[in-house]
Every structure is written in structure tokens, then in C-alpha cells.
Amino acid sequence: MPGRLLLAVAGGLLLTTAFEPIAIPYVVPFGVAAFALATRDLTVRRSGLVGLVFGVAFYFVHIEWMRRSVGPDAWLALSATVALFYGVLGLAVPLLRRLPAWPVWLAAAWTAMEQIHSTWPLSGMPWGRLSFAAVDTPAAQAAPYLSLTGVSFVLALTGFLLAAAVERWRRPLVPVAGLVAVLALLMIPAVHPYHVHETGSAVVAAVQGDLPGPANQILWDYRAVTDNHVAATEQLAQDVANGTEPAPDFVLWPENSTAIDPFADASINSGIRSAVAAIGVPVVVGAIVDDGPSHVLNQGIVWDPHSGAGDRYTKRHPVPYGEYIPFRNLWDPDFGQLSAIARDMDSGTRTSPLTVAGIKVADAICFDIAYDDVVRSQVAQGAELLTVQTSNATFIYTNQVAQQFAITRLRAMEAGRWLVVASPNGRSGVIAPDGTVVASAPLRTEAVLDERVGLVSQLTPATRMGAWPGRLFTGASALGLALGALAYRRSRDHSGSTGAAEDAPELSEARTP
């Protein structure tokens, strides 16, 4: 058992290196294979413990940025919660391994586990999905065909087939053949990438106004943050007038470009109107807007030079214990970072795109980009372009910024759309539908990215499938667990001793497809 625990720790740490800042994505199958080998031929309880240890080694390191940026209490609580999901997956291993083609069943269960912890409890935590490590690999080219959920399944299947080949090293023909088939399947979209047909183009300017004072404190001087974005936009207007920059169709400001309600504060309102009037085109302003005395909204507001504030997108996935206190009516904590959350942020419900300068735009605010439903629903309803308004200042000295930017690139690929990101001090960028970073602003600097982007109306197969890949793998996992439980029950009955069956390894030689 100690050897299994050490293998689980090694596998979890290895999987961590697939993500930023190390970003060696080709280790993903080896990390997954280590999980399978560490849980092989164990009882349900012991397999669950080994899975939990794997989850702890992986997730506590993967989001270590939260300890340094938000606080050790939030890091410990969130990491422990997600690590439990790997423990639950470990509990399922002895049942699923009883089935023929067990790597397929276990890959479906891994993918379903990712889907569940990405949305539950509360709004879940999507970080750490296998597909999020694949941005610069051939597997990423499969995203518009299979969806990021499907890419996770294929990567998990590759790892479990690798484990099956190791287990049957004397007769590995079947798992090796399966592994070759999966890798060949992944190479098809890499050789023939999804083709995007652009129906038009537009010029979009992403403004990165930078922060005064500490680079990781967006609220240190929030009025100056707005002033910086006003000044940068007015300078862009001057550059356009001088002919040194192309005239944009619209301008994108980041999340928290104003941290106070622009409709309640005359000075902030005046600054925004001044910037919009100077540039003469709509500006999508990232603003915190009052929603009664005890709630706020995190919004992207289309501010038109003629009609003023109009169409709005409201952040759909506020961060629990970061932007609101769940069940505040039952408890109202007044300690640590929680004491700073005086008002709860309400969730948005919009699933249709914004209309900005006549362009249908799918907007996402910060962590929204990591959730499957935000971009997908807006693209399905006609969005031609993606935008992300984010405020990564809290995490500016950590790996979170790079991890989120990788997820953002993958969303562009999955949707088959150009994507523009604006952040107060990094990382702003312009991303092509194939994931290529066309333009990027250095961290902790003032910059304006004024770039021409394509407009796309066709829907990728991933968008057309909607939520069905996740439902498919969750349903397959439930079926596999039911069939595995029946096989387990029969083996216990055959053994004639319930106690002996629980104390002995529950699996003999693991079967392979």
C-alpha cells in the first residue's frame, strides 16, 4: 500500500506539470496511467484513499496560486473539495475495472467527474480539466469537433490504455492497438484542422489601462483605474485622428475598469462618457453595478456615443466566497477575506449575444470563460465574435494568469471564433480561431491592442452538440457503475465470505479491451 500511495503522489504531481507554468502537456497520459496503476487490484475503500491522495497531490499544487493571491484558507478549502472528487473516482475504479474494455468506462467516469466538479457544489471549479492542458498539442485541434469535454475523454482514454498496456506487458497487443487507434484519430484534425469561413471583419481595440500603486490590488485606487482606461482610450482616439492607428469598430474595456456603479457616481460616469465621445464608437465597459442595498452585478455594458449605456451582459458564474457568501441568511462570516464581501454578487442569466456596433458578440467575464455553458450558448444564438473582460490583477504575480489565458485560447478553438481579451494589467490579447495569439500586451503595462479580427457565423460540431457530450459520459459512467456493481456482487456471493471479499483484493488480472 505505501508503494501505491507514492505512485499516486508521483502521478498527481506529474499531471500538474502538464499545466502552466511548466506546461508539458504530453505528460497527461502518463499522469492518468499512474492513477490507474496505483488503484489497480485494490478494495473499494483502499482505491478511494489512493484516488484521494492523487487528487491532493495534483490539485493542491495546480491551484497553489490561490494560496498566494487569495489566502491559504480559500486554497485549502477549495483544493480539498476538488481532491475529494478524485477520491470518489478511486472508489469507482474496482467496479469499472470488472467490465470488458475497462479503459473506456474509466475514461468516461474521469470525464464525468471533471464535469461534475466544474459545476458543483455551488458553481464548482473547472480548473484542472485534462483538455485545459492541451492547447499547444495536436489534441487541441480536435476541440471544434469533439468539444473540450470530448478532448478530456480522449486524453483520459489514452492514459488508461497506456496503463492497460503496462499491466499486460507480456501480451499488450490489444491495448497497444487501441492506443494507436486513438492517437491516429487525434491526428486527423491535426492534419486537417477545422476550417473557419469568415463572413466579414471588424477592428476591435482592447484597452489595458494598468493599475496605479500595487499591481495586485484593483481597489487600491479604483478611481485611478477608471481614469487610466479613459486616458488610454482618449489617446487611442488621438492616434486614430493622426492616422497611426486604424479606427476601431468598438473598444473593449476589462472587468473592473470601474469598480463603482457608473450610474451612481457622477465623476466615473463623466469619465466614461468623455472616453466614448472621444473615440466615437461603442465602448464595452466592465462595471460593478448596484443591485439594491445588499447585492451587486458584474456587467459588461455597451456604452454608445449617441444613445449612452445600452445592452448588457452580467457575469453568470460569480465566485462563491470570493464574490458572494452562499447561504448568508444562515451565517454571515466576519473574518479573514470573507469580511471584505459586504454585498453579494448576483448571477446573470443571459444566454444571447450582445449587439455591439452591429456585431453579435459573445461576452464572458473572468472565470466565466472556464465554464462550458457561457460561450456555447451565445455562439449557438448567433455570436460572430468572442470577448473576455477579465480582472486578473489579484493573481498577477501567480500562474493563474497563464492558466486562464490557455483556457481562453481553447475556447476560441472550440467555438471557431476570433476572441479579444481585455484585462486591467494583463494578460490582454487577440486570439485567432486556431488558438494562435495574434497580439498580446505585456503584464503590468498600459497598452492598447487595436487589431482586425474576423467574423464567423458557422457553428462548429462542438457547439452543435451543446451539453450532450457531458451528458453522454455521465450516463455511461452511471451505467458502468451499475454493471460493475452487479459483477462485484456476484463475485462476493461466489466467494462465500463477505468479510474476506472486503479484506482481499477485489480484482484479479485486470481485463483490457
Side-chain angles (χ1 to χ4, degrees), residues 29 75 153 159 171 191 201 227-228 246 283 298 329 335 343 363 393 399 465 496 500:
W75 169 64
F153 170 77
R171 293 177 295 141
V191 175
S201 67
D227 291 342
N228 284 359
V283 176
N298 193 346
N329 59 323
F335 56 85
R343 296 188 293 174
D363 196 24
N399 305 322
M465 287 189 293

Side-chain angles (χ1 to χ4, degrees), residues 57-151:
F58 168 52
Y59 219 78
F60 274 73
V61 178
H62 180 54
I63 65 165
E64 192 273 340
W65 45 264
M66 182 169 285
R67 178 187 65 83
R68 289 181 286 139
S69 56
V70 180
D73 48 354
W75 169 64
L76 289 170
L78 184 56
S79 298
T81 299
V82 177
L84 287 173
F85 283 88
Y86 292 87
V88 172
L89 180 64
L91 294 174
V93 169
L95 305 182
L96 296 176
R97 269 184 172 266
R98 292 180 176 275
L99 303 176
W102 66 262
V104 177
W105 294 101
L106 198 47
W110 182 295
T111 309
M113 178 269 295
E114 287 187 348
Q115 285 286 294
I116 295 170
H117 85 62
S118 294
T119 58
W120 185 88
L122 302 173
S123 58
M125 178 58 173
W127 252 247
R129 294 169 63 177
L130 297 182
S131 56
F132 288 173
V135 64
D136 288 314
T137 70
Q141 298 298 331
Y145 294 101
L146 303 179
S147 77
L148 292 179
T149 300
V151 171

Side-chain angles (χ1 to χ4, degrees), residues 11 16 77 222 224 227 229 271 278 294 311 319 348 471 496:
T16 300
Y222 51 83
D227 291 342
H229 287 82
S294 57
D311 217 0
V319 179
R471 295 168 183 166

Side-chain angles (χ1 to χ4, degrees), residues 339-367:
S339 61
I341 308 174
R343 296 188 293 174
D344 290 333
M345 185 176 291
D346 285 336
S347 302
T349 58
R350 180 172 186 145
T351 58
S352 59
L354 296 170
T355 300
V356 189
I359 303 166
K360 297 295 183 181
V361 177
D363 196 24
I365 296 179
C366 202
F367 278 34

Side-chain angles (χ1 to χ4, degrees), residues 17-28:
T17 66
F19 300 84
E20 286 72 13
I22 299 176
I24 309 175
Y26 295 98
V27 305
V28 167

